[in-house]
Amino acid sequence: MANYRVHIIESLKPEELRKGREERTALAAILRQLGVDCSTYLVVNKEQFIAALAITTSPDQEKHVPLVHISAHGLADGSGLSLTDSSVVPWSEMKGWLQDMNETMGG
């Protein structure tokens, strides 16, 4: 059986961040109760988002099959994600990163 690690990447709207509305902590607690290894990342800008994605396939993660859960708001026009600082992650960029992750993991 594969050894999975769930990577929870969350980028909240500023008002959600101020009010403490987050799902990563609750989801991580449930996963840990179920015996699932997980890591959480609160990202507020595109640089942090890219860094969190990179961690999922870093060499020290080799013994785990990464599962990535992204919690963020989509743009009204459906073209991508909006992060805490209002920076945009277009789906076209996301596609490239996810394809690279898949290739790195031998998929």
Side-chain angles (χ1 to χ4, degrees), residues 76-98:
D77 66 3
S79 64
L81 299 175
S82 176
L83 304 178
T84 305
D85 71 347
S86 298
S87 58
V88 172
V89 179
W91 290 123
S92 57
E93 286 183 37
M94 179 76 86
K95 177 184 175 186
W97 297 327
L98 295 175

Side-chain angles (χ1 to χ4, degrees), residues 3-29:
N3 188 10
Y4 296 98
R5 173 174 288 151
V6 177
H7 296 270
I8 305 163
I9 301 172
E10 185 170 36
S11 190
L12 303 167
K13 289 182 178 181
E15 61 271 14
E16 294 170 330
L17 195 56
R18 282 191 299 277
K19 292 179 181 179
R21 292 185 184 160
E22 58 182 51
E23 71 178 47
R24 73 186 182 287
T25 305
L27 180 55

Side-chain angles (χ1 to χ4, degrees), residues 11-81:
S11 190
L12 303 167
K13 289 182 178 181
E15 61 271 14
E16 294 170 330
L17 195 56
R18 282 191 299 277
K19 292 179 181 179
R21 292 185 184 160
E22 58 182 51
E23 71 178 47
R24 73 186 182 287
T25 305
L27 180 55
I30 292 167
L31 289 169
R32 289 181 180 124
Q33 279 197 327
L34 295 171
V36 177
D37 191 20
C38 63
S39 299
T40 65
Y41 312 90
L42 175 62
V43 300
V44 298
N45 58 43
K46 195 171 180 178
E47 181 181 347
Q48 291 174 349
F49 184 82
I50 294 166
L53 282 176
I55 290 170
T56 67
T57 56
S58 65
D60 63 323
Q61 302 293 323
E62 287 180 358
K63 60 183 180 254
H64 300 284
V65 175
L67 301 175
V68 179
H69 173 89
I70 299 171
S71 176
H73 292 276
L75 296 171
D77 66 3
S79 64
L81 299 175

